[in-house]
Amino acid sequence: MNDFINALALFLQSAVTMGTPLLLATIGGILAEKVGHLNLGVEGMMLMGAVIGYVTGINTGNPFIAIIAAGLVAALGALIYAFITVSLKGNQIVTGLALTIFGTGFANFIGSSLVGVTLPASVKGALSDFEMPILKDIPILGKMIFSQSIYVYVSLLLALLVWFYIKKTSFGLNMRSVGENPAAADASGINVTLYKYINICLGGFMCGIGGAYLSLVSVPSWQDNITAGIGWIAVALVIFATWNPIRAIFGAYLFGAIQCLDYKLQNVKFNFFGNPFTINAQLLSILPYFMTIIVLIFINIRKKKENQPPAGLGSAYFREER
Amino acid sequence: MKESYIELCDITKVFGPVIANNNVNLSINKGEILAILGENGSGKSTLMNMLSGIYRPDSGSIRINGKPTLFRSPKDAISAKIGMVHQHFKLVEVFSAKENITNGLKNGFIYKNKQLSKEILALANRYGLSIDPEKKVYDMSVSEKQTVEILKVLYRGADVLILDEPTAVLTPQEIKKLFMILQNMKKDGRAIVIITHKLNEVMEISDRVTILRKGESVGSIETCNTNPKELTDAMVGASVNLSINRPENIKGLPLMEIENLTITSPEKVNLLDNVSFTVKKGEILGVAAVAGSGQKELCEAIAGLQKVASGNIIFNSEDIVGLSPRAIINKGISMSFIPEDRLGMGLIGSMNIIDNVILKTYRAGKSPFIDRKEGKKNALQIVKKFDINTPSVYHQVSKLSGGNIQKVLLGREISLDPELIITAYPTRGLDIGASHKIYDVINDQKEKGVGILFVGEDLDVLLELSDRIMVLNSGRVMGIVDAHKTTKEELGLLMMGMKQEVAQNV
Amino acid sequence: MFNLTKRTNQSKIHTLLLQLGAIVAALVAAGIVMWAMGYNPFVIYTKIVEGSVMVSENAKKGGVPYRLLQTINKAIPLVILSLGVSVAYKMKFWNIGAEGQFYIGALFAAYVAFNFKQLPPYILLPFMFLSAFIGGGLWGFIPAVLKNRFNASESLTTLMMNYIAIGIVTYLQLGPWRDPEAKGFGRMPYFTENAILPKVFGIHIGFIIALILAVIIFVLLKKTKLGYEIAVIGENETTAKYAGINTAKVLFITLFISGGICGIAGMIQASGIEKTLTDQISGGLGFTAIITAWLAKLSAPIILVVSFLFAMLLQGGAYLQVSMQIPAAISEVIQGIILFFVLGSEFFIQYKIVFSSKIKEAK
């Protein structure tokens, strides 16, 4: 029994590790979509953050500066996206894809000289697993949550903060109205453009530090396309979490767990009433996407207004449109 | 003369080819209810949208307390203590009343839920408004939504409250209550501007009236010094002889009979209420009504584009109610619907004339390929017959002038040899010459024995063109009058919902 | 102070000049980026052209020169995918599922290739071709149904279905369809010779199929009733309903065709280039195709040109890596920058900025 609990705890711990970059990117996606912008550049921004975080980590030896730099470069990418889609009213989908292409190229270009270069111990050490006194001894949760890199704690804190910002502050109210009905927000005296810029860039920042988690903590070294599609799972997760950062925490860890199963279940033989079978890891990996489609259908059938996508998602706002 | 609180001087606003406001002047005083009266498209809403910072005037100035002020955005208008309740409410559906009211205000970092509820309730009580701050907008009735909009403006401390057609969506009881509240606000020293085209309301509530006609201000007058008739005259202008031909109608047989047609909105409001009438072959039945009286729904219902709650549409003794446009065509019925927003429905602006001309005929034949040769021939004929001014039939329709765009639509529909033409505001935005051309075309059709349902806004045109005129108000038929005998005033009063003894047996 | 107004009339020359200007500006901007990174942009641009189309001196063994062949090989799937998505975009259905439709098409083709080995090529290949069309078509059809029945945003569902498709291929590759002879490698067996596209001028005949498809799509969109209906719905759905067009039916057919064509691209890539199916077979071409289709304004002839130019960038990037040890990723950076500029230039086509000097301000 104890063995089982230990194994479960270890599994959940790695689920959280896998889920953390997802969580950060998902929060980023939520911020942008809440102001009405579907940003398909998540993968690109994560890669930009991953590579700049890594370079900065190597050059400064300071994990804090590395993470901030990662966030800032991705926010810069988001700024390009915001300028094209908000100010120039460009197509959100194509612009997002362009950002992903650009970000991928940017990361792999810079990263090509980083292959094989290792992070200084100062960075690795600061971001390695940190066991919280007392809390670490809670069964399962202790291992799962409280014996993680400080990065994980920060990501949880950020999820809570963003939730608080969206749901409980006046600014959050304003930003939601921008995404739901920009004309109403405008008539209420809200600076629609400013809110869009800030939240899209903030979202970019989150994606950037999510990417840096991969290069600084979970991998931790440089490899081409280090995100391996996590950015796209994040786009799915935003919907799966129905634009709620708290639900995103659970979603991210769930999707993280599914990714872990990818590796762990490959050679495990199960027994179902005497019938041996194996769980197919690859089929499991499509589960997040499949569930996201189900969620999209489900929110439509249930018609609960609060769970619908932001009403203004995907369209540009022009005040004098008649 | 005392200085007005707000002064609009020589405001002009142009949208593409349309002059919405032309050198309009207007003044607003505190402690006064000002009514802005005008027909559809007379520029009332555009003018007020400029005062609330949604549009920017192309020229002219806005003065507050004599000081010129520039409104760059609604935010500037709010700081100048001007608030507007838009005709189409600008509310966030998934927000509660409270969230909508406080949205965009500096309320400190953390949203103070309970305190704001208290403030809102206090404010509502002060003016006799009833509201549940926690109720979501998507659960609200129209009048509740309006209350939220009014409170939103009041909560921002507005001294000037602009209401765009506030009574259009309300029941008589709700209107009564609204007016009481407006009186309360007036006593409180605020200025109220109410945009309307309902005369009785103007007489009932306002202290002063400013009348707009075709984008220009006609004048202002104290309400106590005027009467509905004078206002109607000012609003519709003096009777002008347009010298539109009116061929004698061959006393035709009934073509289409509408029986007890009722259409309800998703909010369960009757848009059309038990409407019955007949269109005869070879006659023009005019429809006069202020905007939103159900005329749009009526036209779309006949064309098969609007869901009908109950009633029948008997076309040549066949009931076509509830049929799709395709099904109507398949029945061999040739009916032409020329809608009011031509580029919104009816034409494809980004396509050329040929591709627009073939819209209803391209399906002919079994071939999977489209026959543009026939279309081109047809298009050339239409261009020639209707004298459409275009470089070629390959010219994009949206780049033509309004009159020519309308001729493309009309030309296509008439080339189909319809038995019935339904047309709404076919001359909207056209100059006199172009308009006359359209009237001639319609008259030609009438002489050929086509039945025509003509929804118009210019009463002079209706009077000279129609054989009979049906007047709608709030979805009900107020009367069907003989166009030869009736007067503009009579129509105006009927449109305003003032029931009079009118001969119905024409 | 300035005001924005929508342009009512956009002249073709004005549009073209703006777009050309945007590309030139993008090349300059990308050049500045390269220069800042310590490379000579002129050398890089020259090398890209050289590496993608120029005839290298010693590699002329008859047929098409190697580098140009590589460029053409890269352009083929891109052209077909772009044609596929352009059909859906014509009706403003934001199908970003080309990637998934590509994989499912390749999957259906591979199934046929593995299970009907005994058929002669002139039967097997058309059979694969048809299966690929049906597979991709179904993958495009599902989001159309979800949109029609549940109003589920197509850009989200098609995106999700990409990864479901790739997941299925990975599963088959490592599981049931794994080549037992490929020992340690998790890969599928190679196609037999009769399942591989023949070559003409040293290029697999996919290029002929691509050209034919370009003609077909051009005809479909410009000359047929269906194409007309697609365009009418895309431009003005209200008018489409007014004219009695069955919008749901056209939506389903259109997405089946759009997905089906993307599926054909998958079959051609599997049969013509990879000679098997892998979960890496697309390498994101389905996403690049969205961009090329959009840049080409959904016009089939221009898609040919734009796709070729993009293929040049890809191939030129690979050449840079080999010849100058500059990471091939630079071509993606250039792509990204060009796109940003072209996307931005759209604004100046749609809107007009009126500066305050032209507006009489309040005095």
Side-chain angles (χ1 to χ4, degrees):
Chain A
M1 194 60 197
N2 243 341
D3 276 0
F4 175 72
I5 291 191
N6 272 341
L8 181 67
L10 267 174
F11 169 67
L12 291 175
Q13 187 187 23
S14 43
V16 170
T17 308
M18 291 297 258
T20 296
L22 258 179
L23 175 60
L24 286 163
T26 306
I27 299 169
I30 290 175
L31 283 170
E33 291 193 22
K34 271 287 178 189
V35 288
H37 283 250
L38 175 64
N39 189 347
L40 295 183
V42 174
E43 177 89 354
M45 293 187 292
M46 286 183 86
L47 279 165
M48 290 170 83
V51 76
I52 290 300
Y54 200 70
V55 170
T56 318
I58 288 167
N59 289 326
T60 63
N62 183 329
F64 181 72
I65 296 179
I67 295 170
I68 297 293
L72 287 179
V73 72
L76 210 65
L79 183 66
I80 299 174
Y81 169 89
F83 179 67
I84 295 175
T85 57
V86 179
S87 296
L88 300 183
K89 306 180 201 319
N91 181 312
Q92 293 187 8
I93 289 170
V94 184
T95 311
L97 289 176
L99 180 55
T100 286
I101 289 181
F102 175 79
T104 311
F106 177 88
N108 293 342
F109 185 78
I110 294 180
S112 62
S113 58
L114 298 175
V115 180
V117 185
T118 49
L119 277 174
S122 57
V123 178
K124 269 191 178 167
L127 297 176
S128 63
D129 291 358
F130 172 79
E131 301 191 335
M132 290 256 201
I134 306 167
L135 292 174
K136 75 173 162 43
D137 295 326
I138 304 173
I140 300 180
L141 269 186
K143 198 94 191 133
M144 178 185 171
I145 307 274
F146 299 113
S147 310
Q148 291 277 9
S149 164
I150 197 146
Y151 222 122
V152 173
Y153 308 132
V154 171
S155 71
L156 275 170
L157 192 67
L158 282 173
L160 293 174
L161 276 178
V162 169
W163 174 83
F164 186 78
Y165 158 64
I166 294 176
K167 295 277 173 175
K168 297 287 170 192
T169 68
S170 308
F171 298 107
L173 184 69
N174 294 352
M175 71 93 90
R176 275 186 285 148
S177 70
V178 167
E180 290 289 344
N181 186 345
D186 193 16
S188 306
I190 294 167
N191 189 333
V192 174
T193 307
L194 186 68
Y195 264 89
K196 288 190 164 194
Y197 266 91
I198 288 178
N199 285 288
I200 290 169
C201 291
L202 220 63
F205 190 90
M206 298 284 176
C207 296
I209 61 177
Y213 177 82
L214 293 166
S215 60
L216 296 176
V217 184
S218 69
V219 176
S221 65
W222 182 257
Q223 56 195 54
D224 264 12
N225 291 320
I226 193 168
T227 49
I230 287 180
W232 298 110
I233 303 186
V235 174
L237 195 49
V238 172
I239 306 155
F240 186 78
T242 54
W243 298 270
N244 180 331
I246 302 269
R247 271 178 232 155
I249 298 176
F250 297 107
Y253 293 162
L254 176 67
F255 285 17
I258 291 170
Q259 278 189 303
C260 288
L261 287 177
D262 257 31
Y263 304 110
K264 303 224 156 143
L265 287 183
Q266 239 150 12
N267 301 310
V268 183
K269 296 215 163 26
F270 289 88
N271 202 311
F272 186 75
F273 293 111
N275 301 311
F277 71 101
T278 51
I279 290 181
N280 277 298
Q282 291 77 37
L283 281 187
L284 268 176
S285 72
I286 65 174
L287 213 55
Y289 305 109
F290 189 71
M291 290 194 295
T292 301
I293 294 182
I294 301 296
V295 167
L296 265 175
I297 295 170
F298 191 68
I299 54 180
N300 180 273
I301 294 174
R302 254 181 96 207
K303 296 211 166 22
K304 184 161 183 247
K305 304 263 182 181
E306 282 77 5
N307 286 344
Q308 299 294 326
L313 189 62
S315 43
Y317 175 58
F318 177 45
R319 186 187 286 156
E320 296 209 359
E321 194 87 70
R322 295 224 298 176
Chain B
M1 195 190 147
K2 75 168 179 170
E3 179 78 40
S4 291
Y5 177 51
I6 294 177
E7 199 93 49
L8 299 181
C9 308
D10 297 325
I11 299 279
T12 298
K13 177 75 184 174
V14 179
F15 291 105
V18 182
I19 303 173
N21 284 146
N22 190 11
N23 288 323
V24 175
N25 292 293
L26 182 83
S27 61
I28 301 169
N29 301 316
K30 281 195 172 177
E32 167 189 88
I33 298 181
L34 170 73
I36 299 184
L37 185 67
E39 286 187 300
N40 307 319
S42 55
K44 304 170 298 227
S45 299
T46 305
L47 186 65
M48 288 302 110
N49 271 322
M50 281 188 275
L51 193 52
S52 61
I54 303 273
Y55 299 153
R56 286 183 203 168
D58 292 336
S59 68
S61 64
I62 299 172
R63 290 161 203 255
I64 298 178
N65 280 328
K67 217 177 89 217
T69 315
L70 192 65
F71 293 165
R72 288 188 188 83
S73 70
K75 201 174 179 175
D76 291 346
I78 294 169
S79 342
K81 296 196 174 302
I82 297 170
M84 178 160 173
V85 176
H86 296 268
Q87 188 179 5
H88 303 288
F89 300 139
K90 299 197 179 212
L91 294 173
V92 180
E93 286 277 309
V94 294
F95 279 13
S96 67
K98 174 170 58 188
E99 287 170 329
N100 267 295
I101 292 167
T102 55
N103 189 14
L105 290 176
K106 293 202 169 51
N107 286 315
F109 180 72
I110 292 172
Y111 192 71
K112 299 178 197 65
N113 224 333
K114 288 195 177 129
Q115 189 198 327
L116 290 173
S117 289
K118 257 185 229 161
E119 282 178 34
I120 289 166
L121 284 172
L123 184 68
N125 283 336
R126 195 164 133 209
Y127 294 101
L129 291 155
S130 55
I131 189 160
D132 171 6
E134 303 299 337
K135 196 166 182 179
K136 301 275 175 153
V137 170
Y138 57 74
D139 282 331
M140 290 183 183
S141 70
V142 184
S143 100
E144 282 175 305
K145 286 181 191 170
Q146 189 179 61
T147 309
V148 175
E149 284 277 24
I150 292 173
L151 276 168
K152 190 168 152 186
V153 172
L154 290 176
Y155 191 81
R156 283 164 167 69
D159 286 336
V160 181
L161 182 77
I162 306 163
L163 300 115
D164 192 354
E165 306 274 3
T167 59
V169 290
L170 301 183
T171 64
Q173 293 80 2
E174 287 167 340
I175 293 173
K176 217 167 162 188
K177 206 172 148 210
L178 174 70
F179 283 177
M180 218 176 66
I181 291 155
L182 294 184
Q183 294 288 2
N184 289 345
M185 288 190 238
K186 173 182 147 188
K187 277 181 215 139
D188 217 34
R190 292 171 208 253
I192 317 279
V193 180
I194 167 167
I195 301 177
T196 181
H197 48 223
K198 294 186 185 169
L199 276 175
N200 51 353
E201 290 172 2
V202 173
M203 298 308 295
E204 188 184 335
I205 183 97
S206 71
D207 300 305
R208 201 157 56 87
V209 198
T210 295
I211 297 135
L212 294 188
R213 189 171 70 229
K214 294 184 175 144
E216 298 185 22
S217 42
V218 182
S220 291
I221 189 164
E222 305 283 326
T223 311
C224 52
N225 294 334
T226 185
N227 58 56
K229 190 177 174 316
E230 196 181 27
L231 287 178
T232 313
D233 288 349
M235 187 166 91
V236 297
S239 278
V240 229
N241 189 1
L242 298 166
S243 43
I244 301 171
N245 279 332
R246 175 160 48 198
E248 244 349 276
N249 75 315
I250 5 150
K251 291 284 175 217
L253 300 161
L255 174 68
M256 177 177 68
E257 284 167 87
I258 307 279
E259 294 169 352
N260 307 332
L261 195 67
T262 299
I263 295 170
T264 47
S265 73
E267 291 89 27
K268 305 275 174 267
V269 176
N270 275 356
L271 300 171
L272 265 196
D273 194 353
N274 216 4
V275 166
S276 301
F277 63 93
T278 305
V279 181
K280 294 174 199 156
K281 290 180 184 164
E283 81 157 349
I284 298 178
L285 176 66
V287 176
V290 292
S293 300
Q295 64 271 53
K296 182 167 171 267
E297 288 74 15
L298 174 64
C299 297
E300 293 188 356
I302 299 170
L305 295 163
Q306 167 82 45
K307 245 185 116 176
V308 170
S310 64
N312 301 314
I313 301 169
I314 314 284
F315 194 97
N316 273 345
S317 66
E318 209 169 343
D319 195 352
I320 58 163
V321 82
L323 295 185
S324 69
R326 189 71 170 270
I328 294 174
I329 298 168
N330 289 346
K331 282 212 172 259
I333 291 171
S334 177
M335 173 198 299
S336 283
F337 175 34
I338 298 158
E340 52 181 297
D341 176 13
R342 326 181 244 280
L343 293 179
M345 184 198 277
L347 294 174
I348 310 113
S350 57
M351 291 185 174
N352 65 28
I353 295 178
I354 298 177
D355 278 5
N356 274 286
V357 163
I358 61 177
L359 182 70
K360 287 204 168 163
T361 45
Y362 75 94
R363 269 188 222 102
K366 286 225 165 14
S367 158
F369 295 99
I370 206 155
D371 184 5
R372 281 196 177 79
K373 266 197 206 122
E374 189 63 34
K376 187 181 175 187
K377 231 165 67 190
N378 221 333
L380 284 170
Q381 260 173 15
I382 290 170
V383 165
K384 194 165 161 229
K385 185 170 168 201
F386 293 94
D387 200 15
I388 296 172
N389 190 4
T390 174
S392 83
V393 285
Y394 295 102
H395 202 67
Q396 194 179 316
V397 162
S398 64
K399 287 182 184 169
L400 298 172
S401 73
N404 286 307
I405 292 176
Q406 184 62 294
K407 285 190 215 162
V408 172
L409 178 56
L410 210 58
R412 176 185 78 204
E413 292 302 320
I414 284 169
S415 69
L416 299 171
D417 282 326
E419 293 171 84
L420 172 74
I421 295 175
I422 307 153
T423 168
Y425 313 114
T427 57
R428 184 173 277 181
L430 307 193
D431 60 29
I432 295 177
S435 299
H436 271 255
K437 182 83 197 167
I438 305 286
Y439 303 141
D440 290 345
V441 171
I442 290 173
N443 274 328
D444 279 353
Q445 294 299 307
K446 170 183 162 181
E447 283 181 294
K448 277 171 70 184
V450 176
I452 293 153
L453 187 72
F454 181 98
V455 181
E457 52 194 338
D458 190 327
L459 295 182
D460 289 308
V461 173
L462 276 170
L463 281 168
E464 291 192 33
L465 188 68
S466 318
D467 297 300
R468 293 182 301 150
I469 300 173
M470 173 167 74
V471 185
L472 292 177
N473 177 282
S474 311
R476 279 185 297 269
V477 177
M478 300 305 291
I480 298 175
V481 295
D482 186 339
H484 301 79
K485 294 177 190 151
T486 188
T487 61
K488 210 169 168 180
E489 288 68 31
E490 186 183 35
L491 286 178
L493 290 171
L494 278 172
M495 282 163 68
M496 302 303 154
M498 297 204 165
K499 255 210 155 140
Q500 276 198 339
E501 283 311 305
V502 184
Q504 294 224 218
N505 51 340
V506 191
Chain C
M1 268 297 288
F2 60 87
N3 256 354
L4 273 184
T5 54
K6 251 194 168 156
R7 268 182 209 279
T8 42
N9 55 332
Q10 305 113 329
S11 80
K12 278 202 174 127
I13 295 178
H14 174 248
T15 307
L16 195 70
L17 280 178
L18 268 170
Q19 281 167 336
L20 283 178
I23 292 171
V24 171
L27 290 178
V28 171
I32 293 172
V33 172
M34 288 180 238
W35 177 73
M37 286 174 164
Y39 299 106
N40 182 342
F42 295 104
V43 173
I44 291 190
Y45 287 140
T46 323
K47 284 276 173 190
I48 286 178
V49 176
E50 192 183 299
S52 55
V53 291
M54 294 275 277
V55 181
S56 53
E57 305 81 33
N58 48 6
K60 233 179 154 185
K61 298 178 295 199
V64 179
Y66 177 74
R67 291 180 200 160
L68 181 58
L69 175 68
Q70 285 301 311
T71 306
I72 293 174
N73 277 343
K74 287 191 163 70
I76 291 167
L78 204 50
V79 166
I80 302 177
L81 284 164
S82 310
L83 291 169
V85 294
S86 68
V87 179
Y89 288 2
K90 197 77 187 177
M91 70 180 293
K92 302 231 161 74
F93 187 95
W94 298 107
N95 172 18
I96 47 180
E99 186 87 354
Q101 291 143 15
F102 179 95
Y103 273 105
I104 295 297
L107 179 72
F108 272 50
Y111 178 82
V112 172
F114 291 146
N115 290 289
F116 299 90
K117 285 181 191 150
Q118 70 283 6
L119 293 174
Y122 53 85
I123 295 180
L124 184 60
L125 285 170
F127 189 15
M128 286 165 67
F129 188 86
L130 195 69
S131 325
F133 181 78
I134 292 172
L138 286 175
W139 220 243
F141 181 74
I142 296 169
V145 173
L146 294 178
K147 169 86 172 185
N148 186 259
R149 292 277 179 276
F150 302 107
N151 198 25
S153 158
E154 72 271 19
S155 37
L156 298 175
T157 51
T158 49
L159 182 66
M160 299 303 125
M161 291 195 54
N162 288 337
Y163 295 99
I164 295 177
I166 297 172
I168 292 172
V169 171
T170 310
Y171 160 69
L172 293 172
Q173 180 181 335
L174 300 179
W177 292 13
R178 187 176 183 149
D179 183 1
E181 272 149 48
K183 307 278 179 255
F185 284 109
R187 64 162 177 79
M188 294 183 197
Y190 284 109
F191 289 179
T192 46
E193 203 50 45
N194 51 347
I196 290 169
L197 289 176
K199 290 187 176 182
V200 177
F201 310 124
I203 315 170
H204 70 77
I205 61 158
F207 84 95
I208 298 175
I209 299 175
L211 291 174
I212 293 173
L213 278 174
V215 174
I216 291 178
I217 295 302
F218 180 81
V219 171
L220 171 77
L221 292 179
K222 296 270 175 191
K223 303 284 177 198
T224 68
K225 291 175 180 171
L226 178 64
Y228 177 72
E229 288 177 339
I230 292 172
V232 172
I233 296 174
E235 291 298 327
N236 190 337
E237 203 177 333
T238 320
T239 294
K241 289 192 173 132
Y242 160 93
I245 295 174
N246 185 342
T247 50
K249 189 174 139 201
V250 177
L251 170 72
F252 295 153
I253 296 175
T254 305
L255 262 290
F256 196 90
I257 294 175
S258 170
I261 292 171
C262 295
I264 289 173
M267 176 259 174
I268 286 174
Q269 191 71 359
S271 167
I273 303 284
E274 303 282 336
K275 315 214 171 8
T276 181
L277 172 63
T278 80
D279 59 355
Q280 305 285 320
I281 190 170
S282 150
L285 281 176
F287 292 109
T288 312
I290 293 166
I291 286 160
T292 42
W294 184 83
L295 283 177
K297 295 257 143 60
L298 314 181
S299 151
I302 305 179
I303 282 176
L304 291 175
V305 177
V306 174
S307 299
F308 187 79
L309 290 174
F310 260 70
M312 274 177 69
L313 262 177
L314 293 174
Q315 173 58 23
Y319 177 72
L320 279 176
Q321 180 126 28
V322 179
S323 69
M324 295 177 73
Q325 282 74 50
I326 297 173
I330 197 161
S331 74
E332 284 173 318
V333 175
I334 299 173
Q335 276 179 40
I337 293 174
I338 292 177
L339 284 170
F340 289 147
F341 275 84
V342 176
L343 279 159
S345 72
E346 277 300 285
F347 174 79
F348 298 96
I349 298 168
Q350 297 282 336
Y351 294 89
K352 187 162 59 179
I353 296 178
V354 185
F355 286 96
S356 57
S357 56
K358 288 181 190 165
I359 308 167
K360 278 174 261 162
E361 294 287 0
K363 293 200 182 77

